[in-house]
Amino acid sequence: MAELITFICKRTVVSTKPVQAGKTYPLSVLDRHMEENHLRMVLYYPSTGVPTKPGEITTKLRESLAVTLTNYPIITGRLQKNDEEQWMIKCNDAGLRMIEAKARGSLEEWLRNVDREKELMLVYWEEMYHKPYFWSTFYVQLTEFEDGGLAIGLSCTHLLADQTCATMFIKAWADTTVFSKMMHPPFFYPLPSQRPGNGKLNQTPYTALINHYKTSISKSIDIVDAKHTTVTLVFSDDMVRACIAMAQPIDGTDKSSPTPFEALSGLFWVCISKVKGMRNGLVDMSIRMDMRKVLGLDKGFFGNCMVYNKVHLEGFQEDNLSQAASSIGEVVAKMDREGIMDLIEWLVCKDDRSRSLMNSCDLICASLEGVDPFSIIFEDVIVPIRVSCYVEPVSALGQVLILPAKPGDGELSRVVMVTLPRDEAIKMCEHDLILRLSPTILMDVNKP
Amino acid sequence: MCISPTTNGGVQSRRPLDFLQTVNLKYVKLGYHYLITHLLTLCLVPLVAVIVIEASLVNPDDIHQLWLQLQCNLVAVIFFCAMVVFGSTVNVMTRPRSVYLVDYSCYKAPSHLKVRYHRFMEHSKLIGDFDESSLEFQRKILERSGLGEETYVPEAMNYIPPRISMAAAREEAEQVIFGALDDLFANANVKPKDIGILVVNCSLFNPTPSLSAMVVNKYKLRGNIRSFNLGGMGCSAGVIAVDLAKDMLQINRNTYAVVVSTENITQNWYFGNKKSMLIPNCLFRVGGSAVLLSNKSMDRRRAKYKLVHVVRTHCGADDKAFRCVYQEQDDDGKTGVSLSKDLMAIAGGALKANITTLGPLVLPLSEQLLFFATLVAKKLFNAKVEPYIPDFKLAFDHFCIHAGGRAVIDELEKNLQLLPVHVEASRMTLHRFGNTSSSSIWYELAYIEAKGRMQKGNRVWQIAFGSGFKCNSAVWEVLQSVKASPHSPWEDCIDRYPVEAVA
């Protein structure tokens, strides 16, 4: 592969106003369970049409990033273990790392030929050092395309942030660049942990959720280093409607229609299970959803707020999408405030030091619909033309991320990024159900 | 280790004559000082009384006699008057022109260049050139250095690995020098074309064309400007530059001189493991100053200070002093500035040499007599007295000691018997800006101004030490109660100072 991307330099960016010395920030129970993972995002911006000198945009963005970081002391801090051997952040203005790179050709050409391997080159990442005191938790890469266009890559450890707040951070950065102020400042406060009327136990605790976490924690997984590839499919408004129609409960009960997430995740559950060779049943799957609304937290809440839950199905009929969708729907409904609070309380009491592998056991299907990346506007009206998300390392069974599509494509349209071992990915794209809906393929399986 | 924090505890043996410490004698000494200072006035009083008595006894006859005598000796009288006129003309013409400091400005770098302890250690570790003991050494030096967490490093050090290049060094020099000069020209309301003399000093970075040529180019200074670039002269080069400008202002009439003092950190970070060469990494920081001097008499009204004395002392003839601050390559070929263990002792010796010359120029007669008396007692009568250290607090109201490091300031505080308030400007400049080399004395002056302590008639003593080994002093007199100029580097933070240094 010829040198498409040239690395220019790596530097540290700090905030413009220093933080008070000695400030620390604890991590919540949900944060600590995500230690093994990191997330990566890429946003592509077309050129504004105004010719700029190479490096000019990068310098401007770097300066506004420094201003933005004033409100995010947690990002510029460093990980340390507190007295109870739990991770916490020491806010010491150490800064985040910024990588500057340039790419040959134009943005459009890149997007036509991109695949997982190439796209991951746009997002720099360093694994945690043995002693993380000097290890940056956030990395931002700015890649300027020689013929116009910009790719912004953000990677961070999942210990600190999930996709929602990572996106809000980039949005704050964009707002600072354009308007010099943030529209949605972040909120750093702990998860709700103690319910009012403390002492009164919940009558029917949602044990299934807790059990799922229990089993995941105690499981030991051999991470199989299969060669994964990622395929990005765009489902337009009509396609999603068709999918929902397919996923309607057959017995005509007055259950409400499945949501786009339930329909699409059911679809992929079925297809991927088939591709993996499961005859009479579906592969183990966990869904992952943002619980901010459920817990009544503001969108600016900074920290992990995504919760996993297992979906299972008894007596599955082949290609029965509605069965899959409805069982997903049942699980989603059960993830209400009570259930999540039970989980949080259980996790707090358990206080286990063992590493958990939440993202590694089953096929993961995450709903990132709450993430709103297309509202991140850096320059006038330049909207990102594509957004990609990754959660690494990928579970051995694979991963499905459901993201919103560009506004203007319709309210129900979605972008789905599926990460599977290479041969399974190819087979999945040729599955009947998928072909019936015929989504657009944005990013194809990488050519060997 | 060549720098160790000294405490005032081990000082007793050096104090002269313990009984001087008692309060009673302090007042006796003060009374003696006032007596000697006003001795002339006191002696004149009886003389005036005698003259008045004599004059009252004179009658018109005596005056008529005097007039006749003068008429007879007309030639002698005219000759006498001519000599007086001639003498006074020569005196006026050859008198050294007063040099006024119209204004000055100090550069403050942008806040993203501030380096906190953690980031210093993080970058030092990630660069990969330092071994564990070097990292630990730098950490200890940094903690005890007296530097705060708001000192500035150049942009090149923000990169991993640092992007050291001549272009980056030039960029640092441009930002600092132009930043200081822009402020100076704005505050002093002077046109670049009016400047006749330019002196720039920067010890460790000397490109071709010189930094003074860079200033001439940027500000389009006039073609017949007298420009000088002083390189390699260390942290005392600021005073040397002022001295040079002063001399040039004697021979060039009615003009302005600009003195720019700075240092360059970009290409001078040491990336090796020799302990004596690691210390500058922990102390030297980005900073620079620009000073506007004038010999125009009309500027006396608006000038802040008048230059009274400059005393330069060079100890380079002594080999140990010469090698005390030495730039060289280590065994791996990495360049750095090594500081010898004798630094404090040599600095003390250089200071003594300097104040021996400066003392008679500035000390009040009372102190000089005491010093002379103890000297005579020691030499002639072999009396076991410690050499008398004159009390410079009687000669000066403010002290600007080059912020070379905490140890230097501690040493001088002890040697000159200064009070904490006298060294406050130095300590706080070290805390806020680090060791900015030749420009630190100007940051300290700005501190005193920002605190509102400059009153008309006050005298300021700027002491700078530098490689060579040199000790240079400049004495200024305050012409009017001075307020800090706009864009002072202390503008936004003076209220937080003084801070207590971490022990």
XYZ file of all heavy atoms in Angstrom, chain A residues 316-344:
219
model
N -36.563 -20.740 18.031
C -36.549 -19.782 16.930
C -36.894 -20.460 15.596
O -36.421 -21.537 15.280
C -35.156 -19.168 16.861
C -34.949 -18.264 15.694
C -35.649 -17.061 15.619
C -34.089 -18.601 14.671
C -35.464 -16.225 14.541
C -33.904 -17.751 13.593
C -34.588 -16.560 13.512
N -37.752 -19.784 14.842
C -38.054 -20.284 13.498
C -37.159 -19.563 12.510
O -36.955 -18.360 12.599
C -39.512 -19.974 13.132
C -40.503 -20.798 13.915
C -41.887 -20.221 13.691
O -42.130 -19.051 13.927
N -42.798 -21.043 13.216
N -36.699 -20.328 11.552
C -35.709 -19.758 10.644
C -36.215 -18.509 9.938
O -37.351 -18.466 9.455
C -35.304 -20.789 9.591
C -33.965 -20.462 8.974
C -33.477 -21.578 8.076
O -33.651 -22.748 8.475
O -32.945 -21.279 7.012
N -35.358 -17.547 9.863
C -35.668 -16.302 9.154
C -36.879 -15.567 9.689
O -37.482 -14.758 8.991
C -35.852 -16.565 7.646
C -34.510 -16.703 6.947
O -33.479 -16.589 7.640
O -34.489 -16.920 5.729
N -37.240 -15.871 10.931
C -38.405 -15.179 11.473
C -37.950 -13.895 12.139
O -37.586 -13.867 13.315
C -39.130 -16.075 12.475
C -40.471 -15.490 12.829
O -40.703 -14.285 12.714
N -41.378 -16.352 13.270
N -38.013 -12.847 11.370
C -37.499 -11.564 11.847
C -38.349 -11.022 12.977
O -37.832 -10.439 13.938
C -37.460 -10.579 10.667
C -36.900 -9.197 10.955
C -35.533 -9.310 11.600
C -36.798 -8.413 9.673
N -39.647 -11.226 12.894
C -40.510 -10.609 13.898
C -40.275 -11.202 15.286
O -40.328 -10.500 16.296
C -41.973 -10.734 13.509
O -42.281 -12.098 13.322
N -39.968 -12.498 15.317
C -39.662 -13.103 16.623
C -38.445 -12.431 17.246
O -38.423 -12.084 18.426
C -39.336 -14.588 16.435
C -40.439 -15.515 16.818
C -39.937 -16.928 16.811
O -39.280 -17.380 15.863
N -40.217 -17.653 17.855
N -37.411 -12.307 16.396
C -36.169 -11.700 16.886
C -36.443 -10.286 17.388
O -36.048 -9.895 18.484
C -35.119 -11.680 15.767
N -37.140 -9.518 16.547
C -37.381 -8.115 16.903
C -38.194 -8.000 18.182
O -37.923 -7.140 19.027
C -38.085 -7.398 15.746
N -39.185 -8.867 18.328
C -40.023 -8.715 19.520
C -39.278 -9.109 20.785
O -39.480 -8.509 21.840
C -41.332 -9.470 19.390
O -41.087 -10.796 19.018
N -38.395 -10.098 20.707
C -37.660 -10.440 21.934
C -36.701 -9.329 22.300
O -36.481 -9.047 23.478
C -36.947 -11.783 21.807
O -36.049 -11.729 20.746
N -36.143 -8.674 21.277
C -35.287 -7.518 21.561
C -36.117 -6.427 22.225
O -35.715 -5.800 23.209
C -34.609 -6.996 20.281
C -33.609 -8.027 19.747
C -33.897 -5.672 20.545
C -33.001 -7.659 18.416
N -37.307 -6.231 21.646
C -38.189 -5.201 22.182
C -38.534 -5.442 23.653
O -38.570 -4.511 24.459
N -38.742 -6.699 23.995
C -39.061 -7.028 25.393
C -37.918 -6.635 26.306
O -38.123 -6.047 27.378
C -39.282 -8.534 25.526
C -40.682 -8.974 25.190
C -40.750 -10.501 25.102
O -39.926 -11.183 25.761
O -41.614 -10.988 24.364
N -36.705 -6.968 25.878
C -35.544 -6.676 26.710
C -35.378 -5.170 26.859
O -35.085 -4.657 27.947
C -34.275 -7.315 26.111
C -33.042 -6.837 26.835
C -34.378 -8.823 26.173
N -35.574 -4.437 25.774
C -35.414 -2.974 25.830
C -36.403 -2.379 26.822
O -36.077 -1.512 27.634
C -35.617 -2.353 24.427
C -35.692 -0.831 24.518
C -34.502 -2.750 23.495
N -37.646 -2.909 26.762
C -38.681 -2.373 27.655
C -38.320 -2.599 29.122
O -38.603 -1.768 29.982
C -40.011 -3.020 27.313
N -37.650 -3.759 29.368
C -37.317 -4.056 30.758
C -36.181 -3.177 31.275
O -35.948 -3.094 32.483
C -36.891 -5.525 30.884
C -38.026 -6.495 30.760
C -37.971 -7.520 31.883
C -38.910 -8.677 31.584
N -38.391 -9.553 30.511
N -35.451 -2.535 30.359
C -34.339 -1.698 30.816
C -34.871 -0.312 31.167
O -34.566 0.678 30.525
C -33.262 -1.611 29.735
C -32.471 -2.892 29.607
S -31.510 -2.961 28.096
C -30.111 -1.981 28.526
N -35.650 -0.289 32.235
C -36.193 0.988 32.668
C -35.389 1.490 33.855
O -34.408 0.871 34.262
C -37.662 0.841 33.017
C -37.856 -0.186 34.131
O -36.850 -0.781 34.579
O -39.011 -0.386 34.538
N -35.840 2.572 34.404
C -35.061 3.227 35.461
C -34.822 2.288 36.640
O -33.714 2.209 37.160
C -35.805 4.481 35.914
C -34.966 5.337 36.790
C -35.429 6.781 36.862
N -34.326 7.615 37.288
C -33.966 7.810 38.552
N -34.647 7.246 39.515
N -32.927 8.565 38.848
N -35.875 1.588 37.032
C -35.747 0.686 38.181
C -34.665 -0.338 37.938
O -33.815 -0.592 38.780
C -37.085 -0.034 38.422
C -38.194 0.870 38.912
C -37.912 1.436 40.283
O -37.496 0.657 41.172
O -38.087 2.641 40.471
N -34.741 -0.954 36.753
C -33.787 -2.003 36.432
C -32.346 -1.494 36.436
O -31.437 -2.138 36.975
N -32.158 -0.322 35.846
C -30.793 0.208 35.767
C -30.297 0.595 37.155
O -29.142 0.362 37.514
C -30.749 1.424 34.825
C -31.313 1.072 33.456
C -29.339 1.955 34.697
C -30.568 -0.012 32.745
N -31.167 1.175 37.944
C -30.756 1.547 39.304
C -30.371 0.316 40.102
O -29.404 0.339 40.861
C -31.892 2.300 40.013
C -32.186 3.668 39.432
S -30.770 4.768 39.448
C -30.481 4.902 41.174
N -31.139 -0.782 39.932
C -30.782 -2.037 40.605
C -29.379 -2.453 40.214
O -28.563 -2.857 41.058
C -31.756 -3.159 40.188
C -33.094 -3.037 40.882
O -33.145 -2.411 41.957
O -34.083 -3.574 40.342
N -29.138 -2.385 38.915
C -27.822 -2.802 38.422
C -26.728 -1.950 39.029
O -25.711 -2.458 39.514
C -27.797 -2.684 36.892
C -26.407 -2.880 36.263
C -25.968 -4.322 36.397
C -26.410 -2.455 34.802
N -26.942 -0.648 39.020
C -25.906 0.252 39.530
C -25.648 -0.027 41.005
O -24.504 -0.111 41.450
C -26.292 1.722 39.294
C -26.312 2.028 37.794
C -25.326 2.664 39.992
C -26.812 3.399 37.456
